[in-house]
Amino acid sequence: MARIAPVNARGTRDFLPRDLVRRNRVFALLRATFERYGFEPLETPSIENTSVLEGKYGEEGDRLLFRILKRGRELESGVRALDALSLGERSTAAMSRALSDEALRYDLTVPFARVIAAHQNDIVLPFRRYQMQPVWRADKPQRGRYREFYQCDVDCVGSRSMTVDAEMVAIHQEVFAALGFSGVVTRINHRGLLAALMATCDVPEEQYVATLTTMDKLDKIGLDGVRTELSKASLSDAAVDRLTQAMGLTGTPETIIESLRPIVGSNPMGAQALDELAQVFGYLADMGVPAERLRFDLSVVRGLGYYTGTIYETVLTNSTLGSLGGGGRYDQLIGMFLGRDLPCVGISFGLERIFDALDEQELARDEVTTTTQALVTLFAAETLASSFALATELRAAGIRTEVYTEPKDLRPQLTFASKKGIPLALILGPDELANDTVALRDLRAGAQRIVPRSETVAAVQSLLTGES
RNA sequence: GUGACCGUAGCUCAGCCGGCAGAGCGCCAGAUUGUGGCUCUGGAGGUCGCGGGUUCAAGCCCCGUCGGUCACCCCA
């Protein structure tokens, strides 16, 4: 029989136990933090109707949707409808629509918006939720970019108050500190401020996107690079001067905000953005977030999607990995499902990049690679019952215990424990049984001692203290 | 979507001008019949991604194809 190549679908990964032990630890830390702030869990289906997803992520996003093929009679009629089209009418989009009416979710924000609109009567506003689930994108895989990956979103719907915006940044900071990162800085900006800056610098509307994209490159190409690139675009010298002058402002957020007032303060949107930013920085100070962890940064742009207000991006200053997460305020997305706008603010955690960063910063080194804490050895058929009894006692005490599968020499049993990373082995043979003892071996330290059978559980517990 | 590079043992890779398929790690066994890791000794393991072409001869050259990596775009 021909062997089937055991390869993953492109851009997907298997998570072996040693990977998952680590991932679950991070997931648990995130959940605990979110719930400590009063955010509640939410899950939505993997599959959505394409009408929910299409048009929300731009043309690129529509192209990257994983579409589910229609089945049976629906597929047949879809094919017939396609046959009826002329060759010129058979665009990729038209074919996709004819043959598919469902797709895998592309992110967590749009399904969240659908849920808010669908369950208005069951949701108390302001509503805080968190969501950690995989999403799918038919992208070309790259380092740190997969076609199936987990997203982790934290959002609050129903409040315009900047206290919520500040809370989002505080949660970001708290999670990254708890994970052990140092040098974590959240860069904060405002979409309204950017729009006002464009307007007051006389940037033509068709140049907004290109100008913002250039500004976004500040940390890559520097202020001079931005100036050069802006000059090449069809912007007036005065516009380039004012933009780079604004971007070059340094100092505390408060002083930068005051320096910007003369530039954009005459624009109502700009004035409001500056007020909101001042509030966010003020609340963050009240919440006890250290000022050196925060930066007002005009070069934060965050894609060009649905953000309408504050935007944030959290980075590791001592790494080239880039952003570990980000978010912002988006007040118009839910309106697409609800018919009226509801204010929203949210952040996401770039989980896959966080795991890369944990590796890079070597913050996950000596972690255990198995959930099992103790192996009970099996000596012979006659001692089997004693081994089972010991394991039952250990499990009753909450110790994650496995019994070796069959009586065998001690060597393979210890090799097994060592390879798996099980920290403790309990050896129970005729000698121990005769003396009513257990040989308790700590494989991490290479130490072994004989303990009385009655004190075994306590001895194991004391060797395991400090572990979770 | 655009461009560059790479596919050789389970993994990471070497293989010169075309001339017998290699190393390290891992794996298995023994040294060690009640003790993992360290050390030593030995062993197993290959359709050189796949298909075609050139040649007396192809891992190496040519064409195609599939897969992977990286950069750009976009994004998490």
Side-chain angles (χ1 to χ4, degrees), chain A residues 313-463:
Chain A
E313 192 159 275
T314 297
V315 296
L316 270 182
T317 50
N318 52 0
S319 164
T320 54
L321 272 172
S323 147
L324 295 180
R329 182 165 276 277
Y330 53 101
D331 285 344
Q332 283 154 27
L333 182 66
I334 291 185
M336 302 179 87
F337 298 99
L338 194 61
R340 63 188 161 91
D341 286 345
L342 270 184
C344 275
V345 59
I347 43 166
S348 73
F349 289 79
L351 287 175
E352 312 302 347
R353 199 157 299 166
I354 288 171
F355 290 114
D356 286 348
L358 285 171
D359 283 339
E360 186 193 88
Q361 312 272 312
E362 299 190 340
L363 292 174
R365 266 181 307 182
D366 298 316
E367 286 194 357
V368 294
T369 54
T370 176
T371 50
T372 306
Q373 297 172 301
L375 175 78
V376 175
T377 62
L378 273 190
F379 190 85
E382 304 80 65
T383 68
L384 206 135
S386 311
S387 290
F388 285 153
L390 177 59
T392 300
E393 223 175 284
L394 290 164
R395 288 171 186 146
I399 295 156
R400 299 186 291 270
T401 304
E402 76 183 277
V403 182
Y404 198 73
T405 49
E406 60 237 291
K408 224 178 194 178
D409 288 346
L410 202 46
R411 177 190 298 277
Q413 302 194 46
L414 289 175
T415 303
F416 171 79
S418 180
K419 277 186 184 169
K420 277 195 69 170
I422 299 173
L424 300 179
L426 291 104
I427 300 161
L428 194 54
D431 295 350
E432 288 79 14
L433 284 172
N435 298 320
D436 201 25
T437 57
V438 171
L440 175 53
R441 183 167 184 81
D442 186 335
L443 290 104
R444 300 164 297 188
Q448 180 169 326
R449 65 197 168 98
I450 307 292
V451 297
R453 176 69 179 76
S454 56
E455 295 167 22
T456 309
V457 170
V460 168
Q461 271 168 334
S462 86
L463 280 174

Side-chain angles (χ1 to χ4, degrees), chain A residues 151-364:
Chain A
Q151 276 198 337
C152 171
D153 279 15
V154 179
D155 294 84
C156 178
V157 56
S159 172
R160 281 181 208 287
S161 167
M162 288 299 118
T163 59
V164 189
D165 298 61
E167 192 171 66
M168 293 297 166
V169 175
I171 291 174
H172 240 207
Q173 284 292 331
E174 182 161 331
V175 163
F176 290 121
L179 285 171
F181 289 113
S182 55
V184 176
V185 168
T186 303
R187 304 155 65 209
I188 301 174
N189 197 7
H190 197 293
R191 260 297 161 63
L193 175 63
L194 288 172
L197 198 59
M198 298 292 114
T200 55
C201 290
D202 298 320
V203 176
E205 215 161 309
E206 65 274 12
Q207 291 287 321
Y208 276 20
V209 171
T211 305
L212 290 173
T213 304
T214 302
M215 290 171 67
D216 191 39
K217 293 184 189 166
L218 177 65
D219 53 340
K220 270 188 189 169
I221 61 179
L223 194 56
D224 290 338
V226 171
R227 177 186 291 275
T228 311
E229 196 161 314
L230 287 177
S231 305
K232 280 186 204 153
S234 53
L235 295 185
S236 69
D237 289 350
V240 173
D241 282 346
R242 292 181 78 173
L243 282 173
T244 50
Q245 184 210 335
M247 292 181 75
L249 290 171
T250 55
T252 66
E254 291 72 21
T255 60
I256 297 177
I257 288 168
E258 289 323 305
S259 309
L260 283 169
R261 276 201 199 278
I263 304 178
V264 298
S266 58
N267 178 302
M269 194 165 41
Q272 190 194 339
L274 289 177
D275 290 343
E276 289 185 354
L277 284 168
Q279 286 175 30
V280 169
F281 282 107
Y283 293 144
L284 279 165
D286 294 340
M287 289 173 184
V289 178
E292 69 267 20
R293 301 256 162 270
L294 306 169
R295 205 160 292 162
F296 178 23
D297 191 333
L298 266 177
S299 72
V300 175
V301 174
R302 289 294 298 168
L304 299 160
Y306 38 64
Y307 292 119
T308 53
T310 56
I311 42 181
Y312 348 95
E313 192 159 275
T314 297
V315 296
L316 270 182
T317 50
N318 52 0
S319 164
T320 54
L321 272 172
S323 147
L324 295 180
R329 182 165 276 277
Y330 53 101
D331 285 344
Q332 283 154 27
L333 182 66
I334 291 185
M336 302 179 87
F337 298 99
L338 194 61
R340 63 188 161 91
D341 286 345
L342 270 184
C344 275
V345 59
I347 43 166
S348 73
F349 289 79
L351 287 175
E352 312 302 347
R353 199 157 299 166
I354 288 171
F355 290 114
D356 286 348
L358 285 171
D359 283 339
E360 186 193 88
Q361 312 272 312
E362 299 190 340
L363 292 174

